[in-house]
Amino acid sequence: MRRALMLFVMLSAVTLIFVQMQILLAAAAVAVLCYLLLAWPQFTIGTWVPVLLSALALVVALWRGTEAEVLWQASDRMVFLAALIAMLGTLRSAAAMAPEVAQAGQFVTSQPASRRYLAMTFGGHLFGVLINFGGLALLLDIAKTSATGPARMDLPPGVQEARLKRMSLAVIRGFSMISLWSPFGFATNAILITIPGIAYTDFGPLGFAMTFIFIAIGWAFDRGEGRVFLGMRLPSQRPPPGSWISAAMLVGHVAALGMSVFLLHDLGEISFQQALIIAVPAYSAIWAIAVGRRVSGAAGGSLIRAGQISWRRLSDLGPEVGVFASAGFLPVTLLALIPAEDLRALILTLDLSPIALAVGLCVSVVGFGLIGVNPIVVSSVLGAIAAQLAVPGLSNAAIALAITGGWTAVIGLSPFITTLTIGSAILGRSPVRIGLIWNGPYCLVILIVWVVLLSSLMLGGVI
């Protein structure tokens, strides 16, 4: 039942791009609600908080007689984001059948110690851009086997634990940086949907450039921890012959998918998110067909199998759909309920500078994330409010950059975020240990660096 409901939502979202039908939107919104009612046993605290907030906002909106147009717009965003997270899962289905994915994973995890951190960080980043949490899980699983598997039983336990820590942090840090720039990432799409008039080029290129700075910071942390083992003459690894070709193929997939989204956006005269929700399943189908022809010569069978994998996964998306649907519904509803002019006057009365507001927004994303509120919800709500207030000196680009910086810092830090929940399940270590203890110092440093950068750009009038 859940699968059929979500499939209907996905098809409705695509249809609504080209045809505006309130009856179809209403049916799709009801389907999302029914899906969430059936999937509630899957919810975590990170899902319950935004879902309950959305329900409360709806009750208040109805009680206050909020205009129907507002609720229609909120429902439209709710349906679209619920469908988007499901559509992105089709890439994982195609990747699950592609031998180059596992081979690329072996390539990045089998590098010599001198290159391992950089390889695994880039690997975590690349896999995250292309297949999101599926890529994170795959690389962490390979990293655990490489660090503590049977082939490493001759190493002291302390060395095994240190290798596991360093390799897993490299993957998690690389994965977290997709929030800075990836056009397929949750952060980028939340910003583009939430902030009116914002363009990807207003914040994406700078975020991409900053990934290299953050990689250098992480590498410095890793080198500091690795000095302890320099004199131990530990056995080195070498990647399987030819595995670099698979890694290059994944880079090609990211580039090809990105170009297809941008071309569809420009030529089709549709929004970036609409282009994404169309291009991703189409590209996934083409990828599955290509894999089938290359591996078994049965393109049709490969496409059917990818469809079956995607179909099975639709019933397990409760937590993600709850968070994304709420991120679509809450900002629109709250903007109608909050007296924007009064709030703007209050902020001006407090005499807070635009820099203080931007830094406050950035830190708020981190703070709320640490108590279990997903960054997509915080960013969607606070970003929409900040843009609506139109405070002099606080540009949309500054709001977007404040969000991406805080988002990047917290998704590898908070024990409640899906990134660390997945990591904990695979690595057998608590999310508190992985996030706050292992990765805490790094997250604090990159947050400080980002705040300094943001403040400098605003002081210089660049944004």
Side-chain angles (χ1 to χ4, degrees), residues 354-365 394 402 451-452 454-455 458:
I355 292 178
L357 292 172
V359 171
L361 175 58
C362 182
V363 174
S364 294
V365 174
L394 184 62
V451 166
V452 171
L454 181 63
S455 303
M458 294 181 71

Side-chain angles (χ1 to χ4, degrees), residues 90-150:
T90 60
L91 277 173
R92 292 178 60 186
S93 302
M97 301 184 302
E100 62 264 26
V101 173
Q103 292 165 5
Q106 291 291 342
F107 173 77
V108 299
T109 57
S110 301
Q111 294 293 323
S114 59
R115 299 195 300 266
R116 186 185 304 126
Y117 181 85
L118 295 178
M120 295 195 70
T121 301
F122 278 111
H125 193 65
L126 178 64
F127 277 57
V129 169
L130 191 59
I131 49 179
N132 214 275
F133 290 119
L136 173 70
L138 174 66
L139 274 188
L140 286 178
D141 190 52
I142 296 175
K144 183 181 181 182
T145 302
S146 177
T148 63

Side-chain angles (χ1 to χ4, degrees), residues 18 57 79 116 150 171 181 190 225 257 268 290 323 335 346 356 376 389 403 429 438:
F18 305 101
V79 168
R116 186 185 304 126
V171 173
W181 73 274
E225 294 183 1
L257 179 57
V323 170
L335 282 178
L346 175 62
I376 191 172
L389 292 177
I403 289 172
R429 307 297 187 273
W438 285 2

